Amino acid sequence: MAMPGFVLLVHDRNDGDCAKRLGITVTKKIGGAVIRNRMKRRFRALARELLPDMGKSGADHILIGRAGGVERDFSQLCEELTKALRKIAGGDVLLRKQEHKPK
């Protein structure tokens, strides 16, 4: 799920563990070490706030930093992550409904 400040990838592990894991990637294209570390701190704060309630159980959530995320307001990033997690959860529900559709 691409957003202006980040890309969110959610990978279902299918290993029986219901933990919600987080991975963060911010490349050198985004900026120097100080900027990359700031972005990672912001991503960790977002995840701490939103993943326990909105994250998918038993999945890896990968946040990939984009250049637009450096100067974005934290509240905007929070709204975008909320929107992305809702879209992923909604898509999941649609997939489950289609899988169990009687023939």
Side-chain angles (χ1 to χ4, degrees):
M1 183 71 43
M3 294 292 179
F6 58 86
V7 175
L8 174 65
L9 303 176
V10 178
H11 179 262
D12 195 359
R13 292 190 311 273
N14 294 322
D15 62 358
D17 184 11
C18 64
K20 301 171 190 175
R21 298 191 312 190
L22 176 68
I24 299 172
T25 302
V26 182
T27 65
K28 286 184 180 180
K29 287 191 328 186
I30 303 301
V34 173
I35 304 236
R36 292 193 319 267
N37 287 333
R38 181 183 313 134
M39 199 166 197
K40 287 189 256 184
R41 282 193 305 271
R42 294 175 89 195
F43 283 163
R44 280 193 292 272
L46 283 170
R48 203 174 305 121
E49 187 175 320
L50 297 174
L51 277 187
D53 297 328
M54 300 183 73
K56 185 176 176 185
S57 292
D60 292 333
H61 302 77
I62 300 104
L63 283 168
I64 303 169
R66 297 178 81 182
V70 174
E71 59 274 339
R72 284 188 97 63
D73 187 50
F74 187 80
S75 62
Q76 280 183 310
L77 287 173
C78 190
E79 289 172 17
E80 291 169 359
L81 184 56
T82 301
K83 183 178 175 182
L85 289 168
R86 282 190 181 139
K87 277 187 181 180
I88 288 171
D92 235 13
V93 171
L94 287 175
L95 287 175
R96 281 190 217 128
K97 285 181 182 176
Q98 290 173 354
E99 288 173 355
H100 298 296
K101 198 175 192 178
K103 294 182 180 179

